[in-house]
Every structure is written in C-alpha cells, then in structure tokens.
Amino acid sequence: MGGVRAPLPSTRIGTADVSGAARWWLLSDLHLGVSDDDPRRPGSVLPEFLRREVLAAPGPQQHVAFVGDTFELVGFVEDESLARLESILARHSDTFSALKACAARGVQLHFVCGNHDVELARPAVAARLSALLSPSEPSGVRVHPWFLHVPDVLVAEHGHQHHALHRMPEVLRTAVNGTDELDLPPLAAWNAHPSRSRLSRAGAVARACLASERAERRVREPAYDKLLQSESRRLALDGVAVRDLARLSRFRTVSALPVAATRMVLAAAGRRVTGEGAPAAAGRFARTLEAHGSGVAWYVSGHTHRALESALEACPTRYVNTGTWCSDVRGRGPDQSDRRAFPYAVVDVARDGTTSGGLRYWRPDGV
C-alpha cells in the first residue's frame, strides 16, 4: 500500500499545501489518448486502482499525484488542447468518474506536466481540468508546470527537463503565455511530421537544437528570472535555489545531436538506448535542494518508463521512478514480465513529519 499528497492554490496552478499526517500516491506515464487500444489498457485499470486503494483507504488526508505524461496532449493550440482534453476524458469515462469521485471525497489531485502533456499548464486548460474533475471545489485539482514540492517530504518532476532531446528550457512560459510560441524540443521536432522524408525531419531536429540553444540563453535573462521568482513563491523555495534548479541541466547542440543520431539509428534497428539506476540529474537535483537548506526525503520522477527505487549518491534523499502503466515498459522490474503489474510510489507522512514508503506494484487481481 502507499500514500500520496499535495494541493495547489485557487489559481489552479500553485504550491502543495501540506500539514499533518498525509498519504501520497504517485504514478506516471499513463499516456491516455483519444483511443483505448493499448494492450495494458491503463484507462480501464486506473479507475479500479483509485476505487479499491485510494477511496477505500482510511486515515489521513490523501493526495494523488500524476507525475507527467498522464495524457497525450502535446502540439496543439489552446482551443485544440481544450477540445482534446475533453475528448480524452470522454473516451475514458470510467477514469473520469473515478477522478471526480476522488475529488468529491476530498482527495487532492495533482498533475505534474510531462513532455506529452505540457499543454496542461496553459491557464485555460488547467482551469478546464479543475472544473471538470472538481466542479464544486476547483482548487482540489492542481497543475504543476515544472515540479511538485512538498517541503521536507518530496519533490516530483516528470524528468524530461534533464533529457536534452525532450528539454524545454523555458518551461515556465507554458503557464503564462501557453505553448503556441514555444519551439519544439529536438525529439518532438523529429516526430512532429512522421510522413516527411528523413532528411526533412533531420533538418527540423537541427533547427530545434538551435532554438533550444537560444532558449537556454533566455533562461539567464531578467525576463525569465521574474518567472523563476514567481515560481519560487509558488513552490515555497528560496529564489536562488529555484534559479539553480532551472539551470541544473542545460541543452547543448554539440552533445545533443550525436545522441539524437544514435537514437535514430537504434530506432531504425528496432532497439532502444538502455540504462538502469538513478539518473545523475536526480542526485544533482536533490543535492541542490539540500545545499539550500530545503532537502527532502523523496525524489520522484517518471519519463523513462523504468520503475525503480534506489539510493542517491552522496545524498540522504531516496529516489523512486514510477515507471509506466502503458505497454511501453522498459525497466527490469516485475512489470516487464507481468503486464498486470502496475507500478506506483507511496509516501506516508506521519504527524511528526517522518516519512515511509517506496515503489509498489498494484495488480487488479490482488495477487
């Protein structure tokens, strides 16, 4: 069993409000779209999980955090994003009903944006999601454009910001002006027009790399620093710490293009880049927080589709990757051989502030 936790302010995009005992349930990478053709059918399994585990759990305040890529919702202008979100929820009506039931019972719902659902950060889309899932109390649904922070307890970020091919240097602009004017990251540029020639797509990747380089420079300018200061207040974190976290990983064309080329070659051969263990960026992130006096017990991410729990080097923070509920499982956990094993993380917070929990696997049959 596990735990979840964290709410955001009435703006529907804000910080986690935490006090007293709590349980956090965290999961990621459901990739719910306008169809339900994934063999694992995450949209059909999630409602059962929410009803049998979250709604049935007694005790402290509960929070469910979706750590990115909950929806296939990227590459659309605002009106299209709104329509697609509603179409996805209509297609997965059982999930929609279960999420509404959680919100009605006072379970706080959190959606951390990933590279597949960055459009959730648009103010209009975040507001629509809140109104749909919690019409009587929209503040019970929170959208986190960058990461979720629960002081002393946990941080949760999708993880794509540390992968050059997925990184959006100016991620905070998504929650201010929307994403219409933001350039696609390199891998998204490659996938944007799959019917085009490889040469045309490679050109799009090269242009995206140059755009990312320019964006990295803008992140260091005063205009973006204002967004970082606003984010520091939302996250209840020191402004210098937030600035350091924003610059923790940086896009560089000289290293990104060879990575992109390698991925293309491996994909053409039906292979993937593999890797196990906590990513170095997770340790840098946790140690940066600790250096600023804001260390947390848990660092949670998704993105890689590899469920994992491990220690972080030179840091007391525990690392958990929540894997995926879709069929694209890449880890070495039991979900690789047992497609009825769905990974999630749980963090329980006691009244004295101590925490416990870790990576868990849920099976619909209860085995």
Side-chain angles (χ1 to χ4, degrees):
M1 300 287 290
V4 178
R5 164 170 194 136
L8 301 174
S10 58
T11 56
R12 301 178 185 86
I13 297 183
T15 189
D17 175 20
V18 180
S19 59
R23 167 164 289 183
W24 290 79
W25 313 80
L26 303 101
L27 57 154
S28 71
D29 295 87
L30 278 83
H31 292 279
L32 300 178
V34 293
S35 66
D36 194 20
D37 54 1
D38 188 295
R40 289 184 91 190
R41 302 193 69 196
S44 299
V45 178
L46 178 63
E48 190 176 356
F49 172 81
L50 293 174
R51 292 180 180 119
R52 288 173 49 184
E53 300 297 325
V54 178
L55 290 173
Q61 183 178 12
Q62 298 191 77
H63 300 256
V64 176
F66 295 93
V67 192
D69 287 3
T70 308
F71 306 109
E72 285 295 323
L73 191 70
V74 70
F76 300 95
V77 297
E78 185 170 294
D79 288 345
E80 292 172 344
S81 298
L82 290 167
R84 185 171 175 87
L85 175 64
E86 293 184 356
S87 295
I88 291 172
L89 292 175
R91 181 66 182 86
H92 300 278
S93 56
D94 285 348
T95 291
F96 181 33
S97 296
L99 289 170
K100 286 188 66 177
C102 286
R105 284 274 298 275
V107 177
Q108 294 288 315
L109 301 176
H110 302 266
F111 293 86
V112 178
C113 294
N115 53 299
H116 281 255
D117 53 11
V118 65
E119 268 73 7
L120 281 180
R122 296 175 185 272
V125 179
R128 183 69 59 84
L129 180 67
S130 297
L132 288 170
L133 298 184
S134 185
S136 63
E137 185 53 62
S139 63
V141 179
R142 303 293 182 171
V143 173
H144 306 260
W146 182 9
F147 66 90
L148 163 67
H149 172 236
V150 183
D152 303 320
V153 178
L154 64 83
V155 292
E157 63 170 340
H158 185 58
H160 62 294
Q161 286 296 94
H162 306 298
H163 289 186
L165 298 180
H166 297 283
R167 177 170 166 79
M168 297 181 65
E170 298 176 285
V171 64
L172 292 179
R173 279 184 54 201
T174 63
V176 178
N177 297 320
T179 56
D180 290 350
E181 298 177 1
L182 291 183
D183 296 295
L184 291 175
L187 194 57
W190 170 260
N191 291 323
H193 301 286
S195 62
R196 293 182 179 176
S197 69
R198 287 183 175 272
L199 181 61
S200 174
R201 297 169 74 189
V205 170
R207 290 190 294 274
C209 287
L210 294 177
S212 291
E213 289 274 15
R214 292 192 294 269
E216 290 289 3
R217 291 194 290 271
R218 289 194 295 269
V219 165
R220 287 159 171 74
E221 295 176 354
Y224 197 76
D225 194 59
K226 291 181 180 179
L227 294 181
L228 291 173
Q229 293 303 313
S230 177
E231 184 74 353
S232 75
R233 293 189 291 272
R234 185 187 74 82
L235 292 168
L237 277 173
D238 175 73
V240 177
V242 171
R243 185 196 64 196
D244 289 349
L245 291 172
R247 302 176 183 179
L248 194 62
S249 296
R250 182 175 181 178
F251 178 90
R252 291 178 173 83
T253 301
V254 67
S255 57
L257 278 180
V259 172
T262 299
R263 286 181 176 272
M264 291 175 192
V265 171
L266 289 175
R271 298 171 57 192
R272 294 184 182 277
V273 175
T274 59
E276 301 296 334
R284 295 198 303 270
F285 197 106
R287 289 191 294 272
T288 298
L289 286 175
E290 191 174 18
H292 288 281
S294 299
V296 293
W298 301 88
Y299 172 98
V300 183
S301 71
H303 185 54
T304 66
H305 290 200
R306 297 181 178 95
L308 175 71
E309 179 179 351
S310 70
L312 290 175
E313 183 179 356
C315 182
T317 302
R318 191 76 176 164
Y319 171 80
V320 177
N321 189 296
T322 46
T324 181
W325 282 38
C326 77
S327 293
D328 188 18
V329 179
R330 304 173 194 170
R332 297 179 179 175
D335 51 334
Q336 183 64 259
S337 57
D338 180 0
R339 291 309 177 94
R340 298 292 284 172
F342 296 88
Y344 67 98
V346 61
V347 176
D348 281 317
V349 185
R351 292 188 180 278
D352 63 1
T354 58
T355 70
S356 60
L359 180 64
R360 304 286 188 268
Y361 291 87
W362 184 76
R363 292 174 173 81
D365 55 14
V367 178

